[in-house]
Amino acid sequence: MHRILLARPDDYEGWRDAARALALADVAPDAIGWNVEGEAGDLFGDGGNDAVPPPVRPAFSVPKRFLDLAETVLLHRDPERFALLYAMLLRLRDDPDRIDDEADPLRRRLDLLAKEVRRDIHKMRAFVRFREVDGRYVAWFEPVHHIVRANAGFFQRRFANMHWSILTPELSIHWDGAVLSEAPGAARGDGPAGDPVEALWKGYYASIFNPARLKTGAMLKEMPRRYWANMPETALIPELIAGARARETRMVERTMPGGNATNAWAALREEAAHCTRCGLFRCATQTVFGEGPVDADIMIVGEQPGDQEDLAGKPFVGPAGQLLDRAMAEAGLDRSRIYVTNAVKHFKFEPRGKRRIHAKPNAGEITACRWWIDQEKAIIRPSRIVLLGTTAIYSLIGKAQTLTSQRGRDLMLDGIRARATIHPSFLLRMPDKDRTEQAFTMFVEDLRAASR
Ligand code: URA
């Protein structure tokens, strides 16, 4: 038995180097004992590593996709992960095309492990809640897998201007604005108690909570109970759910006829949650997918989620969304019957102090995201589309056009009638009150015309 001792549970480089040498020496999977320093399986505890026999085979290469998969799977808590990946490596050494064999049970098992890891990474990004302690932002989080180190870069980019610490049972990470450092794991009691930031979260959550859109099952799936203790806003959930049951039942009945579309849409949304088509996923909290009934007649397309949408994971819930709601109400449109989405699904911003300032998506980002809009369009099959601003125009028409050249006339998008109008945040930026009111009236008129 060859004993391989890895330095850490997420030691991908250690696993890769050992696995490569073992595969060249033709060592069988069941002749290797994989251990992690300091873990229960490390029976000898002497820090030793057996020497790998010399190579008996020529050098080989494996598809990059496998290496990406291995890097993710390595973060899983399953103790068998090292051996499973090694077994796959041997198969690919002999036949690299087997990476495409989706029916292979080993490949499926690895895909499943990777999916669970990605999900945990996503949860950490969405559910870490910082609390201010003596000028430093501190969060307590309990991941399922060994994802903390792999996720540190995200928090570093996202909260570049803050000094923060994330404490977890296995590892703590600290950022002082310049250097990211690690420290041993912490205990729950080391985490911060409630403070004013907590009240802010609660108020914010109550304001964006829309009972008409409540799906308790989906909510529990997205926000599993294990995270609730660290999230101040979850104290409100039982109360909010109780008041929403009756409306939820009616909503489910309404959307029943489009059963298949519902499944297709849910699968698409799940896929989009892991989108890496452009670089924007690196700094955004999460994908903000479209929302609304799958049998909606009207689809409204905005630009990209803003700060509040990025935190809430829902489109148009911040100031521009409130203005859009008001305009829709004046135009006689019921938002709960409309599918609302964005041309770009991740928030693009520039950090300025503690604030995140909206930055316009570029042509590459809009084009990369167009795939999602096309899929949404195909599933919802609206009879009318409303384009809010030039980013939506660029995305759906496929080339840059001025708003004045497109506004006020019928456009055809793959056989669907579309209308272009201003983006509501344009109104929020207007300095002159009278002119803003005029522009708002024209906006309402555009929405009314689009819905006719
Ligand atoms: N602006 C948008 O275009 N979309 C949102 O979801 C929010 C603000």
Side-chain angles (χ1 to χ4, degrees), residues 288 302-306 309 314-317 320-321 341-342 423 425:
V288 177
E303 182 196 63
Q304 61 158 349
E309 287 79 12
K314 291 168 177 295
F316 283 105
V317 293
T341 191
N342 282 301
H423 190 285
S425 52

Side-chain angles (χ1 to χ4, degrees), residues 138-154:
V138 183
W140 165 252
F141 190 75
E142 291 172 69
V144 180
H145 303 290
H146 305 291
I147 56 160
V148 177
R149 192 173 282 110
N151 233 352
F154 167 83

